[in-house]
Amino acid sequence: MPERNPILITGAAGEIGGVSRTMVDMLLGQGHPVRAFVRQDDQRAHSLRQAGAEVFVGDLLTIADVSAALKGVRRIYFSMSLSPYYTDAVSLMAAAARAQGDIEVFVNISEYEQSFMTFDKMTAPEEERRAWLGGLVANWSPQQRAHWIAEQVLDWSGLPTVNIRGAMFVENPLMTWLALEPLSRGELRLPFGDHPLAPIAGHDVAELCVKILLDPAPHLSKSYDLNGPELKDMHGFAEDYTAVLGRPVTYVPEDVETWNETYVDTALAAFPHTAEHLKTLTRLMGGGGYRGATDQLETLLGRPPKTVRWALENHPRIQKPASALRGGHVSRQHPGETRGGDRVNRRAGL
């Protein structure tokens, strides 16, 4: 039976192919009403209306807007672009949800690092932290700290919460637009050494979140640590880029700090909060801080997760630059675009 109350999806103005927008399309396709929370009434909002969603225009940092958006809602998916005010937005949504009092589930997009950058690990002596995190990182990035605090706030709130801790998305700028210029020369230049990673496809995260929203009872008060299905090093991923781009691609390892200075600092000079987060991620991955993989995603979906190659072949944000690369032309995307098609200043999701 379709859910009769509208399901609130924040961050819904992301591009087609982004997690929130994919969720909107999935829910509408199954006959469930959706209230899409957007910051501006623009072409993206118009597209959501055309798809059949109810569009709510507001600010996640304004409690009156948040409270109004929740009227008649029982199930919430919370996502927001990377922002110094992320914890504020989660707290306001939690406060409004508590005040309303009839919320059935609050699905919170968190991050994989919360599974190993735990309170105990992050309060250990600095030497121990550096050893645990690969010798390159001693503290959370501001965004990682915000996610940790957000999880605590939701726990204290008593709301029926589910935390989705996804590993690095295939759609992350580290593997997409920051990599485009070297890819045009047949090089995948990244600072990850030979450490294996298991990136996750945004489509799978969207599908899982929809599944939880429609049947929340088995998932309440749980946190899921999710990886993609392939744990391999960048030489293996270079083979995926070769297949998708139709030209040979070779992995060229880079020094972490040199890469951060060349790519992150240059591209994200106007977005220091996002830059610090990405640099912490590269240091973690380049130092071996991402360890192993779980099979939680396959268990939860009931099918094998999508591969990196599938995500590169099917994600709209990847296909445009892929087509350009095949044609010999490369243009960088806006540095405000991040994981899953969300924009930095919309606040939700690297």
Side-chain angles (χ1 to χ4, degrees):
M1 290 288 292
E3 171 67 19
R4 287 176 294 177
N5 296 97
I7 298 172
L8 182 66
I9 306 293
T10 70
E15 292 183 5
I16 293 176
V19 172
S20 292
R21 178 55 198 267
T22 299
M23 289 177 63
V24 170
D25 292 337
M26 287 178 174
L27 287 165
L28 291 172
Q30 296 179 46
H32 302 283
V34 173
R35 182 173 296 161
F37 195 119
V38 302
R39 183 69 179 89
Q40 295 179 323
D41 196 352
D42 54 15
Q43 180 56 41
R44 291 170 298 176
H46 177 66
S47 175
L48 287 163
R49 290 191 186 97
Q50 284 188 314
E54 173 194 353
V55 173
F56 182 93
V57 182
D59 185 348
L60 288 172
L61 295 173
T62 300
I63 189 64
D65 290 351
V66 174
S67 181
L70 283 178
K71 298 299 183 186
V73 166
R74 302 291 180 269
R75 302 180 186 190
I76 303 165
Y77 168 80
F78 184 88
S79 175
M80 183 183 178
S81 304
L82 301 183
S83 165
Y85 303 108
Y86 183 80
T87 306
D88 302 51
V90 173
S91 301
L92 290 173
M93 184 65 74
R98 277 197 59 174
Q100 184 164 299
D102 55 3
I103 299 302
E104 296 173 345
V105 64
F106 188 123
V107 178
N108 172 50
I109 281 289
S110 189
E111 54 183 18
Y112 187 69
E113 298 93 273
Q114 300 303 321
S115 68
F116 60 85
M117 297 178 82
T118 62
F119 178 82
D120 288 342
K121 294 295 185 184
M122 300 309 289
T123 54
E126 182 173 345
E127 215 171 280
E128 292 182 31
R129 298 199 302 274
R130 289 189 180 277
W132 172 250
L133 298 172
L136 298 168
V137 178
N139 296 299
W140 287 303
S141 73
Q143 185 65 34
Q144 289 163 339
R145 183 179 65 235
H147 277 289
W148 187 84
I149 296 170
E151 288 196 16
Q152 310 314 304
V153 168
L154 290 170
D155 184 38
W156 300 333
S157 74
L159 291 167
T161 301
V162 184
N163 293 310
I164 303 298
R165 298 170 173 173
M168 181 176 69
F169 283 31
V170 178
E171 298 84 4
N172 188 291
L174 295 174
M175 296 185 69
T176 56
W177 58 266
L178 285 176
L180 289 180
E181 192 172 355
L183 282 172
S184 70
R185 304 191 301 271
E187 297 176 338
L188 178 62
R189 288 187 170 269
L190 288 169
F192 301 150
D194 292 323
H195 299 294
L197 301 170
I200 193 169
H203 181 278
D204 284 343
V205 176
E207 183 176 323
L208 175 58
C209 290
V210 165
K211 185 174 182 177
I212 293 170
L213 286 167
L214 297 181
D215 184 20
H219 308 284
L220 299 181
S221 301
K222 293 182 179 179
S223 295
Y224 293 123
D225 307 327
L226 307 177
N227 305 93
E230 302 171 294
L231 183 63
K232 56 187 181 182
D233 64 22
M234 289 298 112
H235 296 285
F237 292 126
E239 296 175 4
D240 293 322
Y241 285 95
T242 295
V244 172
L245 300 177
R247 60 173 63 184
V249 174
T250 302
Y251 173 50
V252 181
E254 292 258 3
D255 172 76
V256 173
E257 297 309 319
T258 300
W259 193 91
N260 282 337
E261 182 178 345
T262 302
Y263 293 96
V264 179
D265 287 338
T266 300
L268 294 169
F271 303 92
H273 179 87
T274 301
E276 284 307 307
H277 181 60
L278 286 180
K279 288 192 286 187
T280 299
L281 285 181
T282 61
R283 291 163 184 153
L284 277 168
M285 290 184 278
Y290 272 63
R291 49 185 64 77
T294 77
D295 61 359
Q296 287 192 27
L297 185 57
E298 181 169 0
T299 300
L300 291 163
L301 289 177
R303 62 162 175 81
K306 304 295 188 184
T307 64
V308 168
R309 189 170 302 184
W310 182 94
L312 292 175
E313 288 173 343
N314 289 277
H315 199 289
R317 293 182 67 233
I318 307 299
Q319 276 306 298
K320 184 176 179 180
S323 298
L325 283 168
R326 291 189 196 100
H329 172 72
V330 177
S331 61
R332 285 190 175 184
Q333 289 173 282
H334 191 284
E337 293 175 317
T338 60
R339 172 195 269 180
D342 299 327
R343 291 187 62 84
V344 169
N345 291 327
R346 198 219 66 234
R347 189 44 198 131
L350 234 204

